[in-house]
């Protein structure tokens, strides 16, 4: 088999963990597989690099930011290659550019437009494990670009597609994909299986578990994904191509707490990327990729109920709004719905309790949770 494995920042946070990842990769290689490994920056490195930039400028230029942030993943790739070589496994690391990941020119949230993995192919043919720096590519203008915070997932999926890999495994410190964040919602359950439609709806509406562009790419190319925990086992989640097996049920509640709300009018005349949604009430901006101050913006969160078809039903939308009224002292700042989600914009301080409330009302009480599915089968 040919497999792509991606390791997130917490899985490679220090040298002992990098050694652990090397052992995990080595065992896949020793089982006879061809292995391509995509790595994130170690631990909190990307934030530390950003903090350095902010000491110099409130609004650093995006080209130089990409030059800076792309370094994080390069550190990991070289260290992991060394760790594998120490285990007697031949390994070679490549940057995004060397891997043939060609993007558009949108610095700090570039889109992949083409993948030409000739060097990776050659290294695999030569029996090497290939380590790729995630989160980065090169534009047609030959500039280094980055794919947006969380973008290493995209590197893994586009490579899995271009290399016709049999498996694309995304490894982190969480065992799979959950019906809500188990740190805020203790009754959340792991979703053993979900469709790419459902995963895409989760990613689009603020789940940080899988990166939106990565899921969108997997969706287009029909690539099955597996979300696994690096250390400590667990069965993970499988994300299968195609539609949800049982439409019209709430699968998950997702919360996105790294957002800014700008009242209507503030953005006119400003060149602001990262607009997640805009309505008559104002605009919601993705704070993680903004890299520039926006006057009068306040921190907000979105909490969304996600499930195939639910946002298309007016009754669902009405009951989600009613549930928010019941659980919040102040009404939501705004809301919107799409075919597969109802999204409420609230003050950051209200987000966790709303997440619990919506999970209870829609995922648990409706008997749609994983546990009750398996109970009845
Ligand atoms: N290191 C980047 C980030 O922190 C990319 C990634 O981890 O996927 O966002
Ligand atoms: Mg991630």
């Amino acid at each position: 088999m040919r497999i792509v494995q991606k390791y997130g920042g917490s899985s490679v946070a220090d040298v002992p963990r990098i050694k652990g990842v090397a052992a995990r990769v080595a065992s896949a290689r020793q089982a006879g597989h061809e292995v391509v490994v995509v790595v994130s920056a170690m631990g909190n490195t990307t934030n530390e690099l950003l903090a350095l930039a902010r000491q110099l400028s409130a609004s650093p230029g995006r080209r130089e930011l990409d030059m800076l942030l792309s370094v994080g993943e390069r550190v990991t790739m070289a260290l992991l290659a060394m760790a594998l070589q120490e285990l007697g496994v031949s390994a070679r690391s490549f940057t995004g550019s060397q891997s043939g990941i060609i993007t558009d020119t949108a610095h700090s949230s570039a889109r992949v437009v083409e993948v030409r993995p000739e060097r990776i192919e050659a290294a695999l043919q030569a029996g090497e494990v290939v380590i790729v720096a995630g989160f980065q590519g090169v534009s047609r203008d030959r500039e280094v670009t980055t794919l947006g915070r969380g973008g290493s997932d995209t590197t893994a999926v586009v490579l899995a597609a271009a290399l016709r890999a049999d498996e694309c495994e995304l490894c982190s410190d969480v065992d799979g994909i959950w019906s809500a964040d188990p740190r805020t919602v203790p009754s959340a359950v792991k979703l053993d299986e979900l469709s790419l439609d459902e995963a895409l709806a989760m990613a689009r509406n603020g789940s940080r578990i899988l990166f939106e562009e990565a899921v969108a790419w997997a969706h287009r190319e029909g690539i099955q994904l597996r979300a696994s925990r690096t250390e400590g086992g667990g069965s993970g989640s499988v994300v299968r191509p195609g539609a949800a097996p049982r439409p019209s049920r709430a699968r998950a509640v997702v919360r996105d707490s790294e957002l800014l709300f700008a009242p209507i009018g503030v953005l006119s005349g400003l060149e602001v990327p990262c607009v997640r949604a805009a309505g008559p009430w104002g605009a919601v901006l993705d704070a993680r990729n903004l890299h520039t101050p926006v006057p009068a913006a306040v921190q907000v969160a979105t909490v969304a109920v996600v499930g195939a078809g639910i946002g298309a039903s007016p009754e669902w939308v009405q009951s989600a709004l009613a549930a928010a009224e019941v659980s919040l002292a102040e009404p939501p700042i705004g809301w919107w719905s799409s075919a597969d989600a109802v999204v409420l914009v609230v003050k950051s301080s209200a987000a966790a309790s709303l997440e619990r409330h919506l999970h209870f009302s829609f995922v648990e009480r409706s008997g749609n949770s994983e546990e009750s599915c398996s109970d009845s089968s």
Side-chain angles (χ1 to χ4, degrees):
M1 283 217 298
R2 176 171 280 192
I3 60 188
V4 174
Q5 295 179 339
K6 175 249 164 177
Y7 293 94
S10 57
S11 300
V12 290
D14 50 31
V15 166
R17 272 177 260 218
I18 289 176
K19 285 184 176 173
V21 166
R24 200 176 182 278
V25 171
S27 70
R29 180 73 193 115
Q30 272 137 25
H33 302 311
E34 292 181 313
V35 191
V36 175
V37 184
V38 175
V39 290
S40 288
M42 292 170 70
N44 203 29
T45 301
T46 309
N47 288 334
E48 286 161 10
L49 292 171
L50 259 178
L52 285 176
R54 293 226 173 93
Q55 287 179 39
L56 291 157
S57 166
S59 195
R62 285 167 185 270
R63 178 191 184 276
E64 300 310 329
L65 261 184
D66 279 354
M67 293 299 259
L68 178 69
L69 297 190
S70 60
V71 171
E73 273 67 11
R74 296 181 181 208
V75 170
T76 321
M77 74 176 188
L79 294 177
L80 181 58
M82 291 172 197
L84 278 160
Q85 288 158 5
E86 280 302 304
L87 295 176
V89 176
S90 61
R92 182 192 295 255
S93 66
F94 291 121
T95 66
S97 154
Q98 289 173 318
S99 303
I101 295 175
I102 322 284
T103 72
D104 66 13
T105 54
H107 282 293
S108 82
S109 18
R111 297 274 137 155
V112 177
V113 294
E114 199 188 332
V115 185
R116 290 195 227 136
E118 286 114 38
R119 296 195 65 184
I120 297 182
E121 229 6 295
L124 289 175
Q125 298 299 333
E128 290 173 317
V129 168
V130 175
I131 320 290
V132 176
F135 172 63
Q136 58 193 275
V138 62
S139 74
R140 291 228 161 88
D141 302 345
R142 282 178 288 163
E143 296 283 12
V144 172
T145 51
T146 64
L147 310 180
R149 299 302 305 273
S152 292
D153 290 352
T154 306
T155 309
V157 176
V158 301
L159 286 176
L163 295 163
R164 298 182 194 289
D166 301 287
E167 187 171 301
C168 183
E169 186 181 31
L170 304 166
C171 305
S172 69
D173 55 0
V174 187
D175 181 25
I177 298 169
W178 291 64
S179 63
D181 182 345
R183 287 166 302 187
T184 31
V185 184
S187 54
V189 291
K190 180 160 71 70
L191 306 172
D192 295 328
E193 267 192 51
L194 63 168
S195 68
L196 273 167
D197 277 0
E198 290 168 324
L200 187 57
M202 289 177 75
R204 282 211 171 117
N205 293 293
S207 164
R208 302 283 194 204
I209 295 297
L210 298 179
F211 187 69
E212 179 181 339
E213 201 200 351
V215 188
W217 197 289
H219 196 269
R220 251 192 331 269
E221 303 276 333
I223 295 175
Q224 177 169 306
L225 306 175
R226 177 182 296 280
S228 308
R229 183 158 59 190
T230 304
E231 280 177 351
S235 53
S237 300
V238 180
V239 189
R240 298 193 193 284
R246 280 170 57 195
S248 290
R249 63 165 172 158
R251 272 329 280 292
V253 175
V254 301
R255 171 176 45 92
D256 186 348
S257 307
E258 288 170 286
L259 299 171
L260 291 175
F261 173 77
I264 200 78
V266 167
L267 295 186
S268 58
L270 281 174
E271 207 203 303
V272 178
C274 309
V275 177
R276 280 203 83 95
W281 29 265
V284 175
L285 312 171
D286 173 4
R288 300 212 306 171
N289 293 306
L290 204 51
H291 305 312
T292 188
V294 175
V298 292
Q299 278 196 351
V300 292
T302 57
V303 184
V305 187
V306 176
I310 68 168
S313 133
E315 299 90 81
W316 265 103
V317 177
Q318 282 316 314
S319 48
L321 287 170
E325 293 280 328
V326 171
S327 67
L328 298 177
E330 288 173 62
I333 299 166
W335 66 273
W336 67 89
S337 65
S338 58
D340 37 26
V342 183
V343 187
L344 306 167
V345 186
V346 296
K347 278 184 149 180
S348 301
S349 56
S353 71
L354 182 61
E355 186 184 7
R356 277 191 291 274
H357 189 85
L358 293 178
H359 188 267
F360 176 72
S361 312
F362 293 102
V363 182
E364 289 170 61
R365 215 170 51 184
S366 60
N368 278 337
S369 77
E370 280 310 277
E371 273 170 3
S372 41
C373 284
S374 42
D375 283 353
S376 60
S377 61

